[in-house]
Amino acid sequence: MDVFSYFNYWVVVVLMMLGFFIVIARGNLVKKLIGLNIFQTSVFILYISAGKVMGGAAPILADGVELYSNPLPHVLILTAIVVGIATTSVGLALVVRIHAAYGTVEEADILEQDATC
Amino acid sequence: MLCLLVATAIALIAVRGLLASIMLTSVYGLLSASFFVTMDAVDVAFTEAAVGAGVSPLLLLLTVAIVGRREAASNARRLVVPLLLVTVTGALLIIGTLDMPSFGSPDAPAQTHVAPRYLQQSGDEIGIPNVVTSVLASYRAYDTLGEVLVIFTAGVAVLLALAPAGQGGSARAEPPAPEHLAPHTILQVVSKLLIPFMLLFAFYVQFHGEYGPGGGFQAGVIFASGIILYGLLYGLPTVCRVIPPPVVEVLAAVGALIYGLTGVLSLLAGKNFLDYSALAADPVTGQHIGIIAIELGVGIAVAAVIITIYYAFAGRLHTRED
Amino acid sequence: MSTLWLWASDACLLIGSFLLLTGALGFLRFPDFYARIHACGVTETLATGFVLLGLLLRSDDAMPQVKLVLILLFVLFSSPTASHALAKAAWNAGVRPRDNSGKRRVSLPHTDP
């Protein structure tokens, strides 16, 4: 078994966990969204790595090319990136509203304010 | 490349202060875009470069400009449980990867299911060289319709969430705030030279998407970043005069509508929803027309939604400054 | 493709990489913000120019050559502008040049506007 054959997947796991860590360990809501972004990108990397065929070319049909990488993950991730930015912006809009309502975007402060009233 | 990505992510954890984090996010987006190129995913790299390195840090920056850049220090005691959780989950996931087919092997399950069919027959059935476009716009057109509607809904949600009180549900830009800094003369001149080419490039990506890397999603994002760059340098009021917010909001709906109507047209012609073979006498020509139509719809919808989101955030920033 | 062109291309690529290296060193070692911008901004423009020129000499097809020239033009426009934007933003945010030790401020010939 070749160690490097799993390298991409391990990087995906590490990135995913780093993003996850930011989401649960940091109190700042904007930072949480950044962590979520990293998490999301790690999933993209997983899909794109799964679609790669060694020695394959980009999936644009051309004469004389026999082996292509898998186009299906590309399609899924292509749309997922744009959907991702759209949903991230919804999250950011909610952060802005939370800031307007509570005057802070720190999780601890928000919970404290919720507890007092 | 991947090591650089991991390094950037670790730096993101270590760094305090949101502005630095956002810059690192941008670096991270650019790095992952270059990684996608090495993985043959040129279409994806296009999108990630525009979104991950451009639009998403920009939206984060606008948010931070509204909510403040300070980030509270987290105490060490709170970090223990997350660290434990993350380590355990990561270890479990790594054990899980040992069952995965090794990287890049041509006989992995993902490579043997539907992908060979797309690669071998899309040339005859759809007649365009870029397989990603034909899968996106024809074989899996339902999915893509769903994605476009999600994007549209997200745009509407941002508009609703950021609407200033008493303005009837629309986050329109407020009257101009006076510019307190010196005008960015050099930046404005250079951007005047570059923005037309950016927009032209967006159109190229839009209409060349069948033959090379490109398509509606990428073109929409590139077009929107051109407009947003203009807005950043000349101020929100100016860009609102060039492209009024109501027009963009309508265009977002029009884009989604073009997509749906193409489907309905093929329905009326007696085929399945979004089966473009019905749009012309020759099925392959029909597929061509259909793909061009829905890519146009996607491009318009994506560009309009992202510009709308930018307007909503920037308008919020303006009202707060007054 | 004659060997001469390949040699020339290799030379260009090497010079470009060397310049990038000096830029990176300068970025790490220079004392204050403006010197660092200077280090990367100046070397980056020239180095990418050389790298692109090297690639240009190497490619023997018309389409990549046109694209490389376009990229070169774009870099020539955008890279100095980006440095300028950075420096201007820093100045507006109140960052002032410092002396070699990175501690004291330098007195400037012109005072703030």
Side-chain angles (χ1 to χ4, degrees), chain B residues 295-313:
Chain B
E295 288 277 14
L296 191 66
V298 170
I300 293 175
V302 170
V305 164
I306 291 182
I307 295 173
T308 308
I309 291 172
Y310 165 70
Y311 280 167
F313 276 94

Side-chain angles (χ1 to χ4, degrees), chain A residues 22 26-38 92 106, chain B residues 5 7-30 52-53 56-62 64 68-72:
Chain A
I22 295 182
R26 287 305 183 84
N28 190 298
L29 293 179
V30 180
K31 191 82 177 203
K32 274 179 195 286
L33 279 172
I34 292 178
L36 216 53
N37 254 331
I38 292 187
L92 288 173
E106 296 292 336
Chain B
L5 269 177
T8 318
I10 291 175
L12 256 173
I13 288 192
V15 79
R16 294 258 155 228
L18 293 174
L19 279 185
S21 321
I22 292 170
M23 285 305 127
L24 284 172
T25 318
S26 181
V27 171
Y28 185 81
L30 196 60
S56 108
L58 189 103
L59 289 179
L60 284 168
L61 273 181
L62 284 171
V64 165
R69 62 161 84 168
R70 212 184 46 80
E71 187 188 1

Side-chain angles (χ1 to χ4, degrees), chain A residues 96-108:
Chain A
V96 169
R97 285 309 294 263
I98 288 173
H99 182 260
Y102 289 87
T104 174
V105 289
E106 296 292 336
E107 195 187 10

Side-chain angles (χ1 to χ4, degrees), chain A residues 5-6 8-10 26 31 38 45 48 50 52-54 56 59 61 69-70 74 78-79 81 83 85 89 97 106, chain B residues 2 12-13 15 21 35 40-41 47-48 56 71-72 97-98 100-104 110-111 115 129 131 147 161 309:
Chain A
S5 66
Y6 293 112
N8 276 37
Y9 303 132
W10 292 344
R26 287 305 183 84
K31 191 82 177 203
I38 292 187
I45 292 176
I48 298 296
K52 168 78 179 169
V53 177
M54 273 303 170
L61 300 177
S69 286
N70 193 342
H74 299 185
L78 170 61
T79 50
I81 290 175
V83 170
I85 178 70
S89 61
R97 285 309 294 263
E106 296 292 336
Chain B
L2 287 171
L12 256 173
I13 288 192
V15 79
S21 321
F35 168 72
D40 297 338
T47 325
E48 177 68 19
S56 108
E71 187 188 1
T97 58
L98 296 181
M100 302 270 285
S102 65
F103 170 72
Q111 259 57 274
V131 189
E147 314 267 12
I309 291 172

Side-chain angles (χ1 to χ4, degrees), chain A residues 1 4-11 13-22 24-28 30-34 37-39 41-42 44-46 48-62 67-83 85-90 92-97 99-100 105-109, chain B residues 2-3 5-6 9-10 12-13 15-16 18 21 25 28 32 35-36 38-44 47-48 51 55-56 59-60 63-64 66-67 70-72 78-79 82-83 85-86 89-90 93-94 97-98 100-104 106 110-111 114-115 118-119 122-123 129-132 135-136 140 147 150-151 154 157-158 161-162 211-213 217-218 302 309 313 316:
Chain A
M1 190 192 79
F4 286 103
S5 66
Y6 293 112
F7 181 64
N8 276 37
Y9 303 132
W10 292 344
V11 167
V13 172
V14 170
L15 283 179
M16 195 179 270
M17 287 305 114
L18 289 174
F20 188 40
F21 180 76
I22 295 182
I24 54 182
R26 287 305 183 84
N28 190 298
V30 180
K31 191 82 177 203
K32 274 179 195 286
L33 279 172
I34 292 178
N37 254 331
I38 292 187
F39 197 105
T41 314
S42 78
F44 298 163
I45 292 176
L46 173 68
I48 298 296
S49 305
K52 168 78 179 169
V53 177
M54 273 303 170
I60 295 170
L61 300 177
L67 195 60
Y68 297 100
S69 286
N70 193 342
L72 192 56
H74 299 185
V75 174
L76 300 179
I77 297 312
L78 170 61
T79 50
I81 290 175
V82 184
V83 170
I85 178 70
T87 44
T88 307
S89 61
V90 176
L92 288 173
L94 291 179
V95 170
V96 169
R97 285 309 294 263
H99 182 260
V105 289
E106 296 292 336
E107 195 187 10
D109 300 347
Chain B
L2 287 171
C3 297
L5 269 177
V6 174
I10 291 175
L12 256 173
I13 288 192
V15 79
R16 294 258 155 228
L18 293 174
S21 321
T25 318
Y28 185 81
S32 46
F35 168 72
F36 291 150
T38 64
M39 291 285 116
D40 297 338
V42 272
D43 291 85
V44 182
T47 325
E48 177 68 19
V51 168
V55 178
S56 108
L59 289 179
L60 284 168
T63 315
V64 165
I66 297 172
V67 303
R70 212 184 46 80
E71 187 188 1
R78 275 194 59 209
L79 293 184
L83 204 59
L85 195 63
V86 163
T89 322
L93 281 175
I94 284 191
T97 58
L98 296 181
M100 302 270 285
S102 65
F103 170 72
Q111 259 57 274
V114 287
Y118 289 147
L119 286 170
S122 73
N130 189 347
V131 189
V132 174
V135 176
L136 176 99
R140 305 192 71 89
E147 314 267 12
V150 169
I151 294 165
V158 169
L162 291 184
Y211 305 100
F217 284 95
Q218 297 93 320
V302 170
I309 291 172
F313 276 94
R316 187 85 178 184

Side-chain angles (χ1 to χ4, degrees), chain C residues 1-70:
Chain C
M1 179 72 39
S2 69
T3 342
L4 185 66
W5 284 120
L6 278 180
W7 275 104
S9 143
D10 283 348
C12 281
L13 287 176
L14 270 180
I15 295 173
S17 322
F18 174 74
L19 287 175
L20 274 178
L21 194 68
T22 52
L25 268 181
F27 180 73
L28 287 174
R29 297 292 302 158
F30 276 179
D32 84 328
F33 185 80
Y34 294 96
R36 287 178 180 179
I37 287 191
H38 180 78
C40 357
V42 172
T43 54
E44 191 199 40
T45 314
L46 193 60
T48 34
F50 266 110
V51 170
L52 288 173
L53 192 67
L55 292 176
L56 204 61
L57 293 177
R58 218 156 242 275
S59 68
D60 41 5
D61 210 13
M63 204 54 203
Q65 284 174 348
V66 171
K67 283 178 184 165
L68 282 171
V69 169
L70 284 179

Side-chain angles (χ1 to χ4, degrees), chain B residues 154-186:
Chain B
V156 174
V158 169
L159 273 185
L160 286 176
L162 291 184
Q167 264 212 3
S170 180
R172 297 279 153 73
E174 290 295 293
E179 287 289 325
H180 48 279
L181 294 174
H184 316 286
T185 318
I186 294 181

